[in-house]
Amino acid sequence: MPRDSLGHLVAGRISPPRPVPSTIPRPEYVGRPAPKPFTGSDVYTPSEIERIRESGAIAARAVEAVGDAIRPGVTTDELDGIAHDYMIANGAYPSTLGYRGFPKSSCTSLNEVICHGIPDDTQLSDGDIINIDITAFKNGMHGDLNKTFIVGNAAPDVTALVDHTREALARGIKAVAPGRQVNVIGRAIESYARRFGYGVVRDYTGHGVGSAFHSGLIIPHYDAAPAFDDVIEVGMVFTIEPMLTLGTTENPGSIAWDQWEDDWTITTRDKSMTAQFEHTLVVTERGTEILTLP
């Protein structure tokens, strides 16, 4: 199992990318070094929102299918296969596959991995936590979510971290309303996380999503005011995806992290556990509607 003598993760063996039938349309960035610059709007029409909802539902059901298979001994690559097969069976392209060269159909971020973990031959162990991040592309639209699962029985503080991170997402969603600035979302998340002494990852954020995987709109998960003052509008679509850690902050409000040589995997520098939850949502007259439900 790819872990060092202290139980910390090390890079495992990555299998070849899984094939996608030619009948399934690809996002424009597949086969290119990077996506084309986004020139559209983060505000979508009702018919466009329904297409995002369809992609989001496929991604959400793929996450649940993976969750049903999580248990000690399973590899993250096996979980990726479940995600890949589910999306393909439902006519969707796995958005991460080929995005800026990412080699897999999902992200599997285990224990101290904050985000962007690449599925490999690492086996899950009792007490681990694993985040499954899946985005599906269908009919020209992406739907993006992630969820953290507990493998077997985790330590009480780790279980609490997962529960509180899920609630932090709910607090962030509840803060959304037309006319407010997007920085109110992070204010709600950070004020909640601080009650438990958690670190809040600042350098990885929520984002606009829909016709683009990442539109350029940034949704911070900390109190960034007066920066990030984009005004929330009805019909705007974006993700909220707080990442909380059991580690202490190296600088006020800042979590130190490292990146593996694969140029993707991001870990807490102190190797503390970290959890994340994400939904894609659309802004309504009264607040929000989640578009990534099974």
Side-chain angles (χ1 to χ4, degrees), residues 9 110 112-115 255-260 264-272 274:
L9 297 167
L110 189 64
E112 70 265 25
V113 178
I114 296 172
C115 57
I255 290 296
W257 51 268
D258 293 311
Q259 186 175 51
W260 285 6
W264 282 105
T265 306
I266 305 297
T267 67
T268 53
R269 183 162 296 166
D270 63 5
K271 301 300 187 290
S272 61
T274 176

Side-chain angles (χ1 to χ4, degrees), residues 152-164:
N153 298 293
D157 61 339
V158 174
T159 298
L161 172 68
V162 173
D163 291 342
H164 290 143

